[in-house]
Amino acid sequence: MKLFNVIFLVYALFIIPLALFSNQKAVISVPIADLLGQQITTTIPNSSAENAYASIAVCGSNIKIACACPRLHQLLYNEIVDVLKTTDEEVCIQTTQAYYLTQQTKKPQNQYWTLKKNITYLDDLMTHHISASHIPQPIDFSDNNYHALTNTDIITLTEPHHDSTLRITFSAGTRFVKTDSPRKKRACIIEVFAVDYLHLKLHKIKIPLHKCIIAHQVKTNQEHITDFITVLKKWSHCKQGFIPYVWGGTSFVKPIHTHFKEVTKTGHHGDYSFYEYDKNTLSPKNGFDCSGLILRAAQISGIPYFCKNTTTIEQCLAPLTTEQQLQAGDLILIKGHVMVVADTTKNTLIEARSYGHGYGKLHEIPINQVFEGIETYKDLYDTYHEKKVVKRKDKDGKVRDTFSNLQLFSMMSVWNK
């Protein structure tokens, strides 16, 4: 008996607590989830967490930016996370889909806070006889074989899709598992599994083929980059408006077509300022920042790209050498901002540009409208190798900032790590 009691005591003291506090798997169960670096109550204390999240702006301005826009990242429906900690209204999660590095540490950073209502535990799905196999395998930056990006059972939206059964508009970038239903050779739709996370029911829904990409195991790296450019161009020239710039944004559910303005308000920590679009009542806000745009489009296209910010790009991609030609899909980096080479013949780039220079949106634009005195990609290439200063212009053609650290990175180098 004494031995039994000792064993039970050890179990009670050590094994049970480990089971209670070990990480749990969960899935994002809303179309878009805003992620923060800390609990929302630290910046917006006199409000419920849900109301505070709903008040997050598209982008902060010059006065106490973090108070208006603490968003760091976004996740989409069906993305799997680890839950590390919970409070009454929020959860601390870890994601494998992307990471960021800082100047202080080279350890990948991938922990965030989000609303508890944004997630559903996988254990709850199992209780309702919904298999995790109906949810896409998560993209994982630690998987050197990139299984999730080449899994042919998964499709990814390249544009928004509204499903009338679930009454949800899914963001571009949302991933689904295909059903086993045979598809006719000339079929224009594809059937996928979709979970109604609110009622914990599994459905089969149909998505038009032109709205998605099917993962492919035999595409060449260049074909993936071609898909990447195709997706970016599609977004840059979307119908019925444009995709707004959203700080920390990695989503697209609806273009907008109104004008933005700068607003100053007084809150718990004093005055703060931010940008907003007229009549844009969506919450969370949908759109992209410069690095979130590249991250989402690259992963849609099957590219093993996981960089959440420009510091990470500098440390993870290879700079262009004098022997390499600049190609569509390569990245143009200046301090705090990244752009994509769109067309080396037409001399255009694609970027999600913030509000201070008059844009506040995703667009494809001639490089001579971005940089002073640079008309072609040959000019840009020479400027890079000769380490010349570059001057960036705003929407009115006025030079707004100067950089001595223009960098060009090869997108093809992501496969050479």
Side-chain angles (χ1 to χ4, degrees):
M1 268 314 270
K2 290 183 178 180
L3 179 60
F4 174 82
N5 289 338
V6 170
I7 292 173
F8 180 80
L9 182 61
V10 171
Y11 183 83
L13 288 175
F14 297 102
I15 307 300
I16 291 177
L18 283 174
L20 288 173
F21 295 102
S22 60
N23 297 349
Q24 285 184 279
K25 294 286 184 184
V27 60
I28 300 298
S29 50
V30 294
I32 306 169
D34 275 345
L35 308 188
L36 315 184
Q38 55 190 343
Q39 291 177 256
I40 192 78
T41 49
T42 60
T43 52
I44 309 176
N46 298 328
S47 174
S48 70
E50 188 169 348
N51 288 338
Y53 273 80
S55 71
I56 297 175
V58 293
C59 181
S61 185
N62 296 319
I63 306 173
K64 295 181 181 175
I65 295 173
C67 291
C69 192
R71 181 193 310 104
L72 293 184
H73 191 35
Q74 289 180 329
L75 291 180
L76 306 180
Y77 172 96
N78 267 354
E79 293 190 308
I80 292 177
V81 299
D82 288 305
V83 178
L84 307 180
K85 188 187 299 185
T86 65
T87 67
D88 289 342
E89 293 185 273
E90 291 178 277
V91 289
C92 179
I93 61 171
Q94 184 168 275
T95 175
T96 61
Q97 172 250 11
Y99 64 91
Y100 64 93
L101 303 175
T102 67
Q103 298 292 348
Q104 291 72 37
T105 176
K106 292 187 177 181
K107 181 182 177 181
Q109 304 295 306
N110 59 338
Q111 292 183 16
Y112 303 94
W113 286 87
T114 193
L115 280 174
K116 188 183 290 185
K117 63 175 286 189
N118 290 341
I119 67 163
T120 298
Y121 289 101
L122 296 193
D123 286 349
D124 292 337
L125 296 182
M126 292 177 63
T127 301
H128 287 77
H129 309 291
I130 300 173
S131 171
S133 64
H134 298 317
I135 302 170
Q137 173 188 5
I139 294 171
D140 187 345
F141 60 78
S142 66
D143 176 13
N144 294 327
N145 294 313
Y146 319 125
H147 287 108
L149 292 171
T150 57
N151 187 337
T152 55
D153 290 329
I154 294 175
I155 70 104
T156 307
L157 291 178
T158 60
E159 61 182 85
H161 175 70
H162 180 77
D163 180 73
S164 57
T165 301
L166 276 68
R167 298 180 180 178
I168 291 175
T169 300
F170 298 107
S171 168
T174 305
R175 303 163 71 239
F176 299 90
V177 174
K178 294 188 295 182
T179 69
D180 296 328
S181 301
R183 186 162 57 91
K184 297 179 181 178
K185 287 185 177 180
R186 297 187 180 181
C188 58
I189 59 171
I190 191 164
E191 188 179 67
V192 300
F193 293 107
V195 180
D196 178 349
Y197 290 110
L198 182 62
H199 302 101
L200 293 176
K201 292 182 179 180
L202 182 66
H203 295 270
K204 295 179 180 180
I205 66 172
K206 292 179 171 61
I207 295 176
L209 273 175
H210 74 268
K211 288 186 175 183
C212 59
I213 281 182
I214 302 175
H216 210 295
Q217 292 181 329
V218 296
K219 279 188 176 180
T220 65
N221 296 347
Q222 185 56 59
E223 286 173 325
H224 286 299
I225 291 177
T226 299
D227 288 342
F228 171 60
I229 294 298
T230 300
V231 168
L232 289 175
K233 283 180 173 286
K234 187 177 189 178
W235 293 347
S236 300
H237 304 281
C238 68
K239 299 176 182 177
Q240 301 175 336
F242 54 86
I243 302 173
Y245 180 96
V246 169
W247 177 256
T250 65
S251 61
F252 169 35
V253 295
K254 185 179 181 181
I256 61 176
H257 51 79
T258 58
H259 299 287
F260 69 83
K261 58 186 177 183
E262 188 175 5
V263 178
T264 300
K265 286 189 175 182
T266 301
H268 179 77
H269 298 289
D271 289 347
Y272 63 95
S273 61
F274 57 92
Y275 294 100
E276 68 177 14
Y277 277 96
D278 295 332
K279 302 178 182 178
N280 181 16
T281 58
L282 289 175
S283 179
K285 304 303 183 191
N286 90 115
F288 299 100
D289 65 12
C290 64
S291 53
L293 167 70
I294 297 166
L295 172 68
R296 187 63 72 187
Q299 292 189 354
I300 286 173
S301 308
I303 298 174
Y305 178 96
F306 312 104
C307 304
K308 184 67 194 77
N309 63 4
T310 53
T311 301
T312 313
I313 294 170
E314 289 181 273
Q315 298 189 42
C316 294
L317 271 67
L320 240 61
T321 66
T322 52
E323 290 77 30
Q324 290 176 293
Q325 295 295 315
L326 195 63
Q327 297 181 3
D330 288 342
L331 304 184
I332 307 165
L333 200 70
I334 53 179
K335 185 177 180 181
H337 186 57
V338 61
M339 300 150 275
V340 182
V341 176
D343 191 317
T344 55
T345 302
K346 295 181 180 179
N347 296 299
T348 60
L349 61 80
I350 291 172
E351 64 175 353
R353 186 83 168 265
S354 189
Y355 297 85
H357 291 186
Y359 291 105
K361 65 178 181 178
L362 164 62
H363 58 196
E364 181 176 8
I365 184 171
I367 58 172
N368 63 6
Q369 291 183 26
V370 178
F371 297 112
E372 177 81 6
I374 294 179
E375 297 294 324
T376 67
Y377 272 112
K378 184 182 183 306
D379 296 338
L380 190 73
Y381 186 81
D382 292 342
T383 297
Y384 162 66
H385 283 297
E386 294 169 12
K387 300 186 183 329
K388 292 181 179 178
V389 167
V390 293
K391 297 179 179 181
R392 186 168 59 151
K393 300 187 290 187
D394 64 14
K395 190 175 181 180
D396 297 323
K398 180 182 177 182
V399 172
R400 296 294 296 271
D401 38 34
T402 301
F403 302 94
S404 58
N405 62 336
L406 172 74
Q407 299 178 82
L408 301 178
F409 290 93
S410 166
M411 180 58 85
M412 194 71 74
S413 68
V414 299
W415 283 281
N416 300 328
K417 292 179 290 184

